[in-house]
Each structure stands twice: as C-alpha cells, then as structure tokens.
Amino acid sequence: MGIKLGDMLIKAGVITDVQLEAALKEQRQNGGRLGSNLNKLGFISEEDLTKFLGRQFGVPAVNLNDYEIEKSVLDIIPADVALKHEVIPISRSGKSLTIAIANPANVLAIEDLKFSTGYEIRIVVSAESSIQNTIEKYYEATGMLKQVLKEVAEPEDEEEDDDDVEVVKAEEGEKEEAMDLAAADSAPVVKLVNAILLESVTKQASDIHIEPYEKDLRVRYRIDGVLHDMMNPPWKMRKAIVSRLKIMAKMKIAEKRLPQDGRVKVAIKGRPIDLRVSTVPTLYGEKMALRILDRSTVSFDMEDLGFEKNAIIEFNRALDKPFGIILVTGPTGSGKTTTLYAALSKLNTPDVNITTAEDPVEYSLLGVNQVQMNEEVGLTFASALRSYLRQDPDIIMVGEIRDQETAEISIRASLTGHLVLSTVHTNSAAATITRLVNMGVEPFLIASTLNLVESQMLLRKICTSCKEPFSLPPGVLSEEETAKLGETPLYKGMGCTECKNTGYRGRIGIYEVLSISPTIRELILDRATTDDLVLQAKQEGMVDLRESGLIKLRKGVTDLDEVIRATSSEN
C-alpha cells in the first residue's frame, strides 16, 4: 500500500489537517477505520471516500447501492464470516467470486475466504459503513432469527401451566432446574439468544425487553429512546431464553420469585459489549431487561454530547474548583451518568485520587476507583461515602443522591475540601435546589457548598440521509421563539432505509447550566421558590432546556416535534 489515506485526502484538498486530527481522535477513542470516522464526522461523503479507497489500494471501487445481490451469492459466505472480515459477496462467475471489502490489505481474510469458499477471490473496495449497511440489509439479523426460529418451530410435548395443581417436592424442583439448564444450553436457544444480541447491537439499541404474556412472548428493542416490537419467539421458549441469559450473567437460575440483577461481557462484531441484566417475576413468567453498554458508541467529550460552548465553559469552571458540589439532573435515561463520566475523564489525572460510588458501574474508567453498591450487604451510597472520607480522596462521585443522609454526607465531604459530583432526579436545574430542601437539607448548607447544577434531556437527531427542509407551522411556537428562529431553514427526516423509516438516527443532549452566583446563594438562603430561582438565573444568562432545544433546531440537528416533545413543560 502506498500513500496513507489521510495524506491523500489532504493533498487532494478534500479535508483539512484539523479534520484529519479530529477523525484520528475519534478513531483512537471508538475504533473503526479512518475513512469511516471521516465519513461519520461529515468531513467526506461515502461516495468520495470509496473513490479514494480505490486509489489508495489500487483496486476497483464500487458503490454497493448499485448492486442487487442474489441470494445464491450471499449463501457462499455466512453472515458471521461476512461480519468478521467486513466483506460482502456481490457476484459470481464460474469459480471466481467478487467480494467488496473494507480493507483489501487484509491478506489473512482473503486467504481464509479462498479456503472456506473454494472460489478464486476477486477484490473490490467499498467504505466500511457501506459494507456494514449492506450486510445488515441482505443478511439482516432478523433473517438469522427467522432461521433459528424455524429450527425450533417443531412442536414439542410440554406440560401446560393449567394442568392440575400439584405441590412440587424438593427433588422435583431440582429436576426442573436441571431441565432449565439443559434447555438453556441447547443449540437453538443459544443461537436465538446470540441472534437477538447481534441484532440489537446492529440496530444500535440501548435496551432489550423480553416479556412473557399468557400465550405470547414479545421481544422489544429501545432504539433512540423509543421501544419497537421486533419479534415473537415461540412461547414455549420463554423459560429457556431467560435461563440462558441468567447463566451468561451468573444469576441464580432456580430463583424465579425474586428480582435479580447480573452483568455479562460479550464480544459482538469484534468489539466488547457490557450487558446489564435484570429480571422481575410477572404474572406469566420472568420479564427480562438488558441494558446494552457499548463503549465504542459513547463519547465522553462534552461537545460531542451536545453541550454548547458557553455551557462547557461554565461546567469546566465549576470542575476547576478544588471543593464543592456539582449536581447533574434529568429524567431516567437522559444520559446523566455519561455526563458525569465525561467530567471524570477531564478530571482524571495522575495527581488526583478519584473514587466513585455507583449503582451500577456502567463503564470502567482507567485511573478511577469505582465501587459497585450492594444494599444486600449494607454497602449503600451513605455507608460508602463515610468510608471514602478515610481513603484520602480528592474527588468523589456519588451515583445518585436519593435521601437526606446521602445528601448531608455529600455536603460534609465538600465542606472538608473535596469535590463531589452526583445526580438527582428532577426535571430542571432550579428544581434540584427545591428538591434538596424538601429532603431536609438546610438551605445554608446548600448555599455554601453547591457550585453548579446542570439539567439535561435527550433529543432524537434527524437522519442525515433523508433530511429535507420543513416549514414552521404557524402558532406552534411563541412569537419570541419564532423571532429567534428568524429565517433559519428548518429540517425534518422523511424516513428511509438508513433510519428504518423513522426519520431519526441517534440522539443528542440539550442542557441548562445553573451556576451558583452570589445572588442565587442569597435566594437559596431565603428559601426562594423554583420560579424565582429560574427568573434570576435567566437574568444572569442561563440558557434553559427550551432555548437549548431551539439552538439545536436552528442548527438543523433535530426537528420541531422533538423540541416540543422534550420541552413542552419548559414553555
């Protein structure tokens, strides 16, 4: 291989040195090929990237959208092999098989395909993202699921739950557990669970829900914050699927009456994925929820998360203080923990001791002492905080302030020279102060220790592949808000194959940052209402969630429906 892709693109004037450095940074943080990161960041189109890849490797470049691939060709290379080597077979002629590959320099992959297929391999190049999308389009994990479901479709004799009522003896319970283990280890169940996990990651889901009903079993994925029905496996497989996941997560397979939590790390598409597993007993069996924690898709850079520059300045100013409390607030699933991790990543230097109390620990951070809470053995946020004060910490992160005891110990820690970061469940920054007072914390303690409160929500981003101009309907926004938008063109996703016809792809945060000024401190001491705090904060320049959403609207990142949905209570 001759000249490097980055150098080639700079020489041709397609990208700048700054853009190359940004893409290299993204590559170091999240992996992937340089070209794909340049495309993901919007610095180069997929079409141009494919052309330059062809020049770089000296092989023909193809646009996979121009191909209709026959099933007989696809059958030559199985889906798991295609994913492993990032290839897609596109045509066959005699004993020659043409494949599109993201990295033509991967000689081992090409030799492996020659050996496994028995064909002479002809190479063409295409962008990594294009190949991944084509694999998803043609192989589609759901297709794999259909095959697995077909394998288990034959009826089996199974005792119905509405048989005569009978007391189960202890040895029969043990026999049932052994049967569950055997069913969970059977090939069809293992294949089905693996296919569910593969499809969820492929579709960039954040959660999987496996829900048993009277005669149905439903699997749903949460994608961009919205649940979607995905499949209905055979009802008779409900116990085996749950047992398989319990085994993977090292949970008690025989315990079906109490909720359980577990964790498992798996490798999907060659990258490590953490799964947080939870079960609860329902009327018709155990419901299971899996949170998918994919480090490669998470950025701990505040600008990438959606913070505006002024908000980053205010947040960093609070982080630079040697002691005090910083609180992050928002509804469940709004990315509070990710924001805290972004703050810890900035603070994480060799000269500071950082200790966290989390429930659960979501991502592992090198150089940070992370502790998983366990209430069953008495390890709570409050008890952990007491212990941390004897561990010579500089910075303490508390997963959540839930009660007066935790709040008061956090305040005591900040008063003794520690920087404390935590979350509270409220819907606005100002309401957090009122919430602490309602917990029983004295206002003078809040006023003397609180440095900053940041509130956030997540909005779905418009799909860039089907983004089209959109006219603002009259009367939807106030006159002041309409004036702020001015003549700025608005956009909306119309729905396409890239976004599964939703019009959205990915999410981004909106933020309001309330810095605790001397005037705000006085209001806290006077037990001011939430409305009074908001009024003063806005006079001091605070951008609230609604205004933050309108900024994203002006930038064409999200659409009007999302802003209204997320911030209607702010208006």
Side-chain angles (χ1 to χ4, degrees):
M1 186 173 67
I3 189 169
K4 292 181 178 179
L5 177 64
D7 296 335
M8 184 185 294
L9 293 170
I10 288 174
K11 189 175 180 181
V14 177
I15 63 171
T16 64
D17 289 326
V18 174
Q19 289 174 329
L20 176 60
E21 184 54 40
L24 289 170
K25 179 184 175 183
E26 180 77 13
Q27 186 181 34
R28 287 191 294 269
Q29 289 180 341
N30 299 320
R33 302 185 61 76
L34 174 62
S36 292
N37 284 298
L38 285 165
N39 175 243
K40 183 168 72 173
L41 293 170
F43 299 151
I44 185 173
S45 68
E46 196 170 274
E47 186 178 354
D48 287 341
L49 173 60
T50 303
K51 288 177 184 175
F52 278 93
L53 286 172
R55 292 182 202 172
Q56 181 192 20
F57 291 107
V59 298
V62 299
N63 182 349
L64 292 174
N65 291 329
D66 297 337
Y67 286 80
E68 281 294 330
I69 306 172
E70 295 177 4
K71 185 179 183 303
S72 59
V73 175
L74 290 168
D75 289 342
I76 297 171
I77 298 180
D80 57 340
V81 176
L83 285 167
K84 176 184 175 183
H85 294 313
E86 291 183 329
V87 302
I88 185 87
I90 56 177
S91 64
R92 174 181 57 182
S93 177
K95 291 299 292 177
S96 176
L97 179 68
T98 300
I99 64 165
I101 188 168
N103 181 15
N106 190 346
V107 178
L108 291 176
I110 295 166
E111 289 300 317
D112 183 33
L113 291 170
K114 280 182 182 178
F115 179 77
S116 62
T117 64
Y119 283 84
E120 285 299 317
I121 303 297
R122 179 174 173 269
I123 300 296
V124 295
V125 68
S126 191
E128 180 184 24
S129 56
S130 179
I131 287 175
Q132 289 176 349
N133 289 337
T134 308
I135 288 173
E136 182 181 345
K137 174 183 175 183
Y138 283 100
Y139 287 106
E140 189 66 47
T142 46
M144 297 165 62
L145 285 170
K146 286 175 185 173
Q147 179 60 35
V148 174
L149 294 176
K150 186 178 176 183
E151 292 177 18
V152 297
E154 292 78 16
E156 294 180 10
D157 292 330
E158 179 182 69
E159 288 188 8
E160 293 295 327
D161 288 347
D162 56 358
D163 282 351
D164 294 341
V165 177
E166 187 178 348
V167 177
V168 180
K169 297 177 183 176
E171 59 268 21
E172 289 177 338
E174 291 167 7
K175 187 188 297 183
E176 183 182 348
E177 180 181 348
M179 290 172 64
D180 285 348
L181 281 165
D185 285 334
S186 68
V189 173
V190 172
K191 281 185 181 179
L192 177 58
V193 170
N194 289 350
I196 289 172
L197 297 179
L198 171 60
E199 184 189 36
S200 65
V201 172
T202 301
K203 293 186 179 298
Q204 298 182 335
S206 61
D207 301 85
I208 304 170
H209 291 261
I210 300 170
E211 303 164 322
Y213 296 97
E214 187 175 7
K215 291 296 178 184
D216 289 302
L217 180 62
R218 180 170 70 172
V219 176
R220 295 192 289 172
Y221 298 160
R222 188 177 295 279
I223 302 171
D224 293 337
V226 178
L227 279 170
H228 298 269
D229 269 324
M230 301 311 298
M231 71 196 78
N232 294 92
W235 183 75
K236 65 183 180 182
M237 293 188 71
R238 67 200 185 284
K239 293 180 181 178
I241 291 171
V242 169
S243 296
R244 171 63 184 167
L245 287 165
K246 278 185 172 181
I247 291 168
M248 292 171 66
K250 295 182 173 58
M251 297 158 74
K252 295 177 183 176
I253 191 171
E255 180 55 79
K256 300 176 184 179
R257 300 163 301 170
L258 295 173
Q260 291 189 69
D261 294 299
R263 193 173 185 132
V264 59
K265 180 175 282 188
V266 295
I268 298 177
K269 292 186 177 180
R271 65 181 192 257
I273 306 289
D274 277 336
L275 299 173
R276 213 169 70 206
V277 186
S278 170
T279 65
V280 293
T282 69
L283 189 61
Y284 299 109
E286 290 179 280
K287 177 191 179 298
M288 194 161 247
L290 293 85
R291 169 65 55 87
I292 301 168
L293 304 171
D294 184 358
R295 178 65 185 264
S296 66
T297 63
V298 176
S299 171
F300 294 145
D301 183 286
M302 286 192 169
E303 201 162 335
D304 291 343
L305 295 177
F307 277 87
E308 303 299 334
K309 288 186 178 178
N310 287 341
I312 293 176
I313 291 169
E314 291 294 325
F315 207 112
N316 286 340
R317 191 175 291 149
L319 290 175
D320 289 338
K321 293 182 179 179
F323 54 85
I325 298 178
I326 295 172
L327 294 178
V328 176
T329 183
T332 301
S334 60
K336 297 186 295 295
T337 305
T338 303
T339 299
L340 286 181
Y341 281 1
L344 290 180
S345 297
K346 181 183 183 300
L347 295 167
N348 187 13
T349 56
D351 59 332
V352 296
N353 177 14
I354 303 176
T355 306
T356 74
E358 302 177 60
D359 186 21
V361 175
E362 293 199 0
Y363 296 101
S364 174
L365 298 175
L366 183 65
V368 176
N369 305 292
Q370 297 173 269
V371 181
Q372 169 72 53
M373 298 299 96
N374 186 347
E375 291 193 8
E376 288 183 9
V377 297
L379 183 57
T380 63
F381 287 124
S383 63
L385 272 170
R386 288 194 195 92
S387 300
Y388 290 175
L389 296 177
R390 298 190 290 272
Q391 287 284 320
D392 186 31
D394 298 296
I395 298 163
I396 299 172
M397 192 270 267
V398 186
E400 184 184 348
I401 293 178
R402 298 174 179 171
D403 51 43
Q404 182 181 356
E405 184 182 17
T406 307
E408 289 182 344
I409 298 172
S410 299
I411 286 170
R412 195 182 312 148
S414 68
L415 286 170
T416 53
H418 304 89
L419 183 63
V420 179
L421 291 81
S422 189
T423 71
V424 181
H425 274 284
T426 56
N427 291 323
S428 73
T432 304
I433 296 167
T434 309
R435 170 82 175 120
L436 290 174
V437 173
N438 290 340
M439 278 185 188
V441 181
E442 290 295 334
F444 76 90
L445 289 174
I446 300 171
S448 58
T449 57
L450 196 58
N451 291 342
L452 177 140
V453 184
E454 178 265 308
S455 179
Q456 63 187 70
M457 294 189 76
L458 291 176
L459 302 183
R460 289 184 289 176
K461 294 161 65 177
I462 300 171
C463 173
T464 54
S465 300
C466 58
K467 185 176 180 179
E468 291 188 7
F470 176 71
S471 298
L472 177 65
V476 175
L477 299 177
S478 67
E479 290 184 10
E480 183 183 353
E481 290 170 338
T482 305
K484 284 182 180 178
L485 291 176
E487 299 299 319
T488 306
L490 304 182
Y491 295 91
K492 190 176 183 65
M494 307 313 292
C496 65
T497 55
E498 294 288 323
C499 61
K500 313 300 181 196
N501 292 314
T502 63
Y504 301 101
R505 197 174 183 191
R507 289 192 289 175
I508 196 165
I510 54 173
Y511 304 88
E512 64 180 28
V513 176
L514 172 59
S515 295
I516 309 301
S517 66
T519 309
I520 297 287
R521 291 188 196 281
E522 289 294 328
L523 288 173
I524 295 172
L525 287 170
D526 293 339
R527 295 180 180 265
T529 65
T530 299
D531 289 341
D532 290 338
L533 291 167
V534 169
L535 185 62
Q536 179 60 35
K538 284 190 174 183
Q539 287 175 359
E540 294 178 7
M542 183 186 80
V543 174
D544 65 16
L545 289 173
R546 180 74 164 198
E547 291 173 44
S548 181
L550 291 174
I551 291 170
K552 296 292 188 296
L553 186 61
R554 285 201 300 271
K555 289 182 176 180
V557 176
T558 190
D559 65 14
L560 184 63
D561 290 343
E562 277 296 286
V563 174
I564 292 172
R565 177 190 64 80
T567 65
S568 56
S569 62
E570 299 290 319
N571 193 11

